[in-house]
Amino acid sequence: MRLLLRAAAVLATTAALTAVPSLTSPAHAGQVGVVVSIKGAGKVTVKSGSIEDGPTVCDWTSEVDERAVNTCERMRNEEPLVATTWLRPEAAPGNWEVGNWSGCDLIEMEGDVPLCGLQSGAFSSVEKTPRISFNDTHVPEMTSVEVRSVPDVDRTFRFDFAADEGALECAFDSTVIWTPCSSGFQQAFGEGNHAFYVRATDPSGQSSAVSGYPFTAVDTQLIATPPALTNSTAATFGLTSTIASSYLCQLDDQTPYVCLSQRVGNHTAAGLGEGTHRMRVWGRHLGWSDQVPATHTWTVDTTAPQTTLTGGEVSGGVMRSTFTSEAGASFRCRVTGPGRDDAWAACTSPVTYSGLTAEGTYTFEVAASDAAGNFDVTPAGWSWLSTPDPEDPLDPGPGPHPQPLPTPAASAPETGPVTGPGKVRAGRKATYRLASPTPGAVLACQVRRKGAAPVATAWRACSPTFVLKTRQMKPGRYILYVRAGVGTQWDATPSTKSIVVRRSR
């Protein structure tokens, strides 16, 4: 076919010359100047034609963008009559294929390859600018995409992905703004549902298909917790989150368990033992979980404190007591007795009560409370007898005087013997020694005429060494009664000492 076209062209030229014999032949034969343009990646080779100058190959197989157009140096073909040049395209290796020619005079197929023919007129010179397109046939594909939460880092995720070719770009959520990215990057997000997008774009501008990869950032909050120190064996927690649909709880080191199946609600852990406890809570939604649980630590203390009375004294209707308990404890005190029925009131050691002058028995009580709210239900305390007679023959002597401690004795205390003079003149004083073999016991005394029984309301605190005043005592025979006491228990068989008060001289 190509030979027939060439022969036809020669015959046409010869006929024209024969018809016009006076035409002067040009100084040169026919020639074609060719500037080849290549779009995409490939090369063009001169298949036939006498190239007097310029390249015979236009090679742009190194191009990577099918949109780019590159031009080669001008080549020139000269023939005696009609110049004809045939160009053969060849696509770059890989995903490139030969496209279409433009600017050709003739097109001839060589197998499945289109050849471009460029031709001059007889004894004429022309310039040709043919262009061949090479097409990139492969669109990039994402070969893997994975979204994972980063352990122990709140609301942070890692993104891993790969493509078979092209530059990678990423975007998030509904406002898709593509930015360059690389696999393995991490990013934090606000609580809620999110979507990750990634695409690969090759140099020809072709992008892979885009799909959204959903993930959820969960942030758990505790809106109610037990106090840091409590005596309750049950603990209630208020759980909330913007997005969570259920919660996983872990008490201490036990196995985690589903503790709530709604966005907001309470969970109670019961049957707690004494000691420090920890509750960890993870919000969950659509298979995603809070990477950093909400955590609360508290201590359960159900043991009541013990109150210890450390001292007490009474003088002139004024009582002073000291007491102690565990560190951080607070106290409540009260006094009951003749004309006195105090309510429990806050107090600190030492505490003083006055106006306790009515005749009868007074009782002081104190109970400790610890920081957890436990109250001592067995208060410590002591009792004493009061008499309004300023001339009472019993003189307790110099204070302070130890008083009964709050711990009850296993059995009634015992009173030791009374030693001292058996006779004393009226108006003088006599000193007596008292004792008790019971540890912690205190003593109470009263003096009655011989033959008169002790009066229950007339007992008065006395020290192991006391002075008997006889100024207001009439001559006669008297009995000194002494009994030991611990707490609220007293010796039912007091010790006695017979005393004769003689007339003054």
Side-chain angles (χ1 to χ4, degrees):
M1 177 66 180
R2 184 169 55 187
L3 296 178
L4 291 175
L5 292 174
R6 287 181 176 178
V10 172
L11 290 174
T13 303
T14 303
L17 292 176
T18 305
V20 188
S22 60
L23 182 64
T24 303
S25 299
H28 300 286
Q31 66 176 3
V32 177
V34 180
V35 176
V36 177
S37 296
I38 295 178
K39 180 177 179 289
K43 67 180 179 178
V44 172
T45 304
V46 175
K47 177 70 175 178
S48 65
S50 176
I51 303 301
E52 274 63 46
D53 49 56
T56 60
V57 177
C58 180
D59 189 347
W60 284 100
T61 54
S62 61
E63 181 59 66
V64 294
D65 186 350
E66 74 170 7
R67 299 165 297 180
V69 178
N70 297 285
T71 302
C72 289
E73 182 184 350
R74 178 180 179 272
M75 66 179 73
R76 183 174 63 86
N77 177 17
E78 182 177 315
E79 302 289 348
L81 182 63
V82 176
T84 302
T85 302
W86 287 93
L87 304 177
R88 186 180 190 280
E90 181 180 349
N95 300 318
W96 294 91
E97 68 177 10
V98 177
N100 297 320
W101 281 102
S102 63
C104 298
D105 296 324
L106 303 168
I107 298 293
E108 181 177 300
M109 299 301 295
E110 185 179 75
D112 58 354
V113 178
L115 305 182
C116 175
L118 303 168
Q119 196 172 49
S120 71
F123 307 110
S124 64
S125 178
V126 295
E127 296 295 321
K128 300 293 184 177
T129 56
R131 187 173 82 168
I132 181 66
S133 297
F134 295 100
N135 302 321
D136 185 353
T137 61
H138 179 71
V139 176
E141 294 181 3
M142 298 303 304
T143 57
S144 65
V145 179
E146 185 177 15
V147 182
R148 294 178 294 173
S149 57
V150 177
D152 303 323
V153 183
D154 207 14
R155 296 176 288 103
T156 300
F157 298 83
R158 176 187 171 102
F159 304 90
D160 294 283
F161 42 87
D164 61 354
E165 68 165 336
L168 296 167
E169 295 177 302
C170 298
F172 294 96
D173 299 340
S174 58
T175 304
V176 179
I177 300 176
W178 294 103
T179 57
C181 58
S182 58
S183 180
F185 77 93
Q186 298 181 9
Q187 186 169 323
F189 294 83
E191 186 178 13
N193 292 321
H194 300 275
F196 170 64
Y197 304 91
V198 61
R199 71 180 181 184
T201 302
D202 66 17
S204 296
Q206 301 178 112
S207 296
S208 61
V210 175
S211 297
Y213 299 86
F215 62 98
T216 302
V218 184
D219 192 14
T220 311
Q221 298 179 28
L222 297 178
I223 55 176
T225 58
L229 179 63
T230 178
N231 60 4
S232 175
T233 59
T236 298
F237 298 85
L239 314 181
T240 187
S241 168
T242 300
I243 194 67
S245 54
S246 66
Y247 295 87
L248 200 66
C249 293
Q250 183 185 34
L251 177 63
D252 300 330
D253 294 324
Q254 298 176 13
T255 302
Y257 56 95
V258 176
C259 52
L260 187 65
S261 296
Q262 58 190 48
R263 188 181 67 84
V264 180
N266 293 331
H267 169 64
T268 298
L272 303 173
E274 283 206 343
T276 299
H277 297 277
R278 180 189 65 181
M279 178 64 78
R280 305 172 74 194
V281 183
W282 294 265
R284 304 188 303 171
H285 185 68
L286 298 177
W288 298 91
S289 179
D290 193 345
Q291 298 103 296
V292 179
T295 303
H296 182 72
T297 301
W298 75 106
T299 299
V300 175
D301 178 6
T302 59
T303 302
Q306 295 300 308
T307 313
T308 301
L309 194 67
T310 58
E313 60 181 348
V314 178
S315 179
V318 177
M319 186 280 301
R320 180 181 183 273
S321 284
T322 57
F323 40 87
T324 188
S325 185
E326 65 184 48
S330 58
F331 300 90
R332 293 188 296 170
C333 301
R334 71 175 180 177
V335 170
T336 57
R340 190 96 177 213
D341 190 14
D342 294 359
W344 288 100
C347 58
T348 57
S349 180
V351 66
T352 300
Y353 289 87
S354 60
L356 308 177
T357 58
E359 184 173 358
T361 301
Y362 287 94
T363 299
F364 167 74
E365 294 176 286
V366 56
S369 296
D370 63 20
N374 298 300
F375 182 70
D376 187 357
V377 296
T378 57
W382 60 286
S383 300
W384 68 97
L385 297 172
S386 172
T387 174
D389 182 4
E391 298 298 331
D392 193 296
L394 296 178
D395 183 356
H401 307 294
Q403 301 296 334
L405 295 176
T407 304
S411 59
E414 296 182 3
T415 309
V418 180
T419 60
K423 298 178 180 180
V424 61
R425 290 190 179 278
R428 296 189 179 184
K429 298 179 181 179
T431 301
Y432 294 86
R433 303 289 181 183
L434 315 178
S436 172
T438 303
V442 296
L443 301 170
C445 306
Q446 60 176 284
V447 176
R448 295 296 174 208
R449 281 190 175 274
K450 189 174 182 178
V455 178
T457 59
W459 291 102
R460 182 170 180 177
C462 53
S463 63
T465 300
F466 73 95
V467 177
L468 175 66
K469 300 175 182 179
T470 63
R471 186 178 58 177
Q472 299 296 325
M473 297 178 68
K474 296 179 180 180
R477 295 182 179 275
Y478 294 85
I479 302 294
L480 170 61
Y481 295 92
V482 181
R483 69 174 182 177
V486 175
T488 58
Q489 299 189 58
W490 296 90
D491 188 354
T493 57
S495 296
T496 59
K497 176 67 177 179
S498 296
I499 303 172
V500 176
V501 178
R502 293 180 175 183
R503 294 181 183 275
S504 63
R505 292 178 179 178

